[in-house]
Amino acid sequence: DMGCDLDPRRFRGNFWMDDAEPWAELSWVGREIQIGDVRFEVQKPIVRCVATAANPESGERDHNPLVPLKRLHGEPLFGVLVKPIDQGEIAVGDRVVG
């Protein structure tokens, strides 16, 4: 817990989900998921860097989310790396299936 709301842009994610349990994506490693028409291989958890401490509006380092992430997971993990298996379209509102 950071004790404050952090702008999600700090984590530079390509996809954001609203319908999964917190940290569910960490259990998907080694599996396939689909978003819209595109299938993805879930490769590994993402270890975050100190850039997440910077406020995306000002660039000022104002909070360090790495400490609580490391406390929670043993490493500062946030999100997973996925590799597209095929091509297709993805739209806002598409569900993650897998």
Side-chain angles (χ1 to χ4, degrees):
D1 180 15
M2 289 294 301
C4 64
D5 290 332
L6 295 178
D7 188 319
R9 294 178 296 165
R10 288 177 186 262
F11 299 96
R12 302 172 317 279
N14 292 315
F15 299 106
W16 291 96
M17 302 177 302
D18 291 330
D19 58 350
E21 290 295 317
W23 314 112
E25 71 276 12
L26 298 177
S27 70
W28 301 346
V29 174
R31 296 180 20 204
E32 289 184 11
I33 60 170
Q34 184 162 339
I35 306 171
D37 297 335
V38 183
R39 290 179 307 133
F40 295 88
E41 173 191 343
V42 182
Q43 295 189 323
K44 63 183 180 178
I46 297 171
V47 177
R48 303 319 298 215
C49 70
V50 73
T52 59
N55 182 313
E57 290 294 325
S58 67
E60 175 187 344
R61 289 188 180 177
D62 56 2
H63 298 288
N64 185 356
L66 299 182
V67 173
L69 288 174
K70 188 171 183 176
R71 191 176 320 121
L72 183 63
H73 301 295
E75 292 184 74
L77 303 178
F78 192 90
V80 289
L81 178 67
V82 297
K83 178 181 177 183
I85 296 170
D86 48 28
Q87 297 182 5
E89 293 191 23
I90 296 173
V92 172
D94 284 347
R95 298 185 68 80
V96 177
V97 179

